[in-house]
Amino acid sequence: MADFIQVRGFEEAIRPPVRSKRARITDHGTVSSRSRADMAPRARLDRIARRVPEVMVKITGRTKDGGHLAAHLAYISRNSALPLEGPDGERLETRDAVKALATDWMAEVEADPRRRKDASVSLSIVLSMPPGTDPFRMHDASRAFASRTFGETHPYVFAFHTDERHPHVHLTVRTLGHDGRKLNPRKGELEQWRQTFAAVLRDRGVEAEATPRRARGVVRKPEVGAVRRMRERFDTGQGTPSKTDLGAVRAVTCP
């Protein structure tokens, strides 16, 4: 028989107080921390039903040469008024450092014997959430997303912007990977990126979801801006109809 007599409730007296769960602000693993419960169909349906904010992960463009890349990096860093963050906490805070990065990336790209003259140097991606999202957690989630998605394969830098109502990140990824493979994402990969971004936000206590358009009840694709502007000019008698509109008319009028 043990000498120590355990009194009911004694263990509660010596146990440290339980602190409320807080959003994590660091990301240590290369494996996603998504729990099975978090990604279960019932959990996702619940988030959709509650209209949890949807993440946005959008490819906004590509740079074609060193000058274009340097100009783009200067733009997203607001001419070095904002730091550019890279892997492992690297920070570029001066114009010279930003220019040096563009030069280094371009030198490695040009050294690739398989490179075509019209091949892109980098891919530009925007990560965004609706207004009201906690900027600190959004920033840390973007850092985790970039590390998980590109940390092992491609060099990248990103700038966090809070000058608009919704916090957003401009992420620039070099298309030439460390192993020589080119970054050329397909539709399925973009969907996976959205899922990853939503997951790292939830890991930090930010409600977020990345449901397909049809799951959200959105079946009509958004109108292309160029087509809309051509239609507006045509409606005012200042231009010709777009090929899209002409094709739609022919489909209806021709048997």
Side-chain angles (χ1 to χ4, degrees):
M1 182 175 179
D3 294 332
F4 180 76
I5 300 176
Q6 186 178 26
V7 179
R8 182 176 177 84
F10 179 75
E11 71 278 8
E12 297 298 329
I14 63 174
R15 181 182 298 143
V18 178
R19 298 181 180 179
S20 60
K21 186 177 180 181
R22 300 179 62 186
R24 290 181 295 162
I25 59 174
T26 55
D27 184 71
H28 300 288
T30 56
V31 179
S32 172
S33 59
R34 283 177 281 178
S35 66
R36 291 185 179 181
D38 179 65
M39 292 304 296
R42 184 181 296 275
R44 296 198 67 190
L45 287 173
D46 175 67
R47 289 193 292 268
I48 295 171
R50 290 188 291 109
R51 296 185 180 276
V52 166
E54 293 283 335
V55 302
M56 187 191 82
V57 179
K58 183 178 181 181
I59 296 176
T60 57
R62 300 170 183 264
T63 62
K64 295 297 184 180
D65 54 44
H68 191 187
L69 174 62
H72 174 71
L73 295 179
Y75 167 74
I76 66 173
S77 68
R78 297 292 190 261
N79 288 319
S80 297
L82 299 174
L84 291 180
E85 289 191 46
D88 302 322
E90 177 189 10
R91 289 168 65 92
L92 305 179
E93 299 179 321
T94 67
R95 295 183 181 182
D96 288 342
V98 173
K99 290 180 180 178
L101 177 69
T103 300
D104 291 344
W105 280 14
M106 194 63 205
E108 293 192 45
V109 169
E110 289 180 330
D112 181 13
R114 299 167 298 175
R115 180 178 184 263
R116 302 193 312 268
K117 291 184 178 180
D118 61 344
S120 59
V121 179
S122 70
L123 191 69
S124 305
I125 304 168
V126 170
L127 313 176
S128 180
M129 280 288 284
T133 303
D134 183 280
F136 180 76
R137 298 183 185 188
M138 166 78 175
H139 191 173
D140 193 61
S142 302
R143 184 182 295 117
F145 167 82
S147 178
R148 289 186 186 181
T149 308
F150 305 110
E152 299 295 326
T153 58
H154 293 79
Y156 66 84
V157 290
F158 71 89
F160 183 60
H161 289 201
T162 57
D163 54 349
E164 297 182 11
R165 291 182 61 244
H166 60 288
H168 60 282
V169 165
H170 289 271
L171 172 62
T172 301
V173 186
R174 196 182 72 189
T175 53
L176 178 65
H178 298 301
D179 60 357
R181 295 184 181 182
K182 303 297 180 61
L183 180 64
N184 187 24
R186 305 300 182 185
K187 186 175 181 180
E189 290 177 272
L190 290 174
E191 185 60 30
Q192 182 59 49
W193 291 358
R194 294 185 68 240
Q195 295 287 349
T196 300
F197 187 40
V200 295
L201 281 164
R202 292 194 298 269
D203 286 346
R204 287 152 180 80
V206 179
E207 285 208 304
E209 187 50 77
T211 53
R213 293 168 56 85
R214 289 186 178 275
R216 301 197 306 270
V218 180
V219 296
R220 183 178 180 182
K221 293 183 178 180
E223 187 176 49
V224 178
V227 174
R228 185 185 69 254
R229 290 189 291 271
M230 289 185 69
R231 184 177 297 122
E232 290 173 350
R233 288 195 296 268
F234 177 71
D235 290 342
T236 58
Q238 298 179 358
T240 58
S242 66
K243 293 182 180 179
T244 300
D245 289 343
L246 289 174
V249 172
R250 291 193 188 99
V252 173
T253 57
C254 296

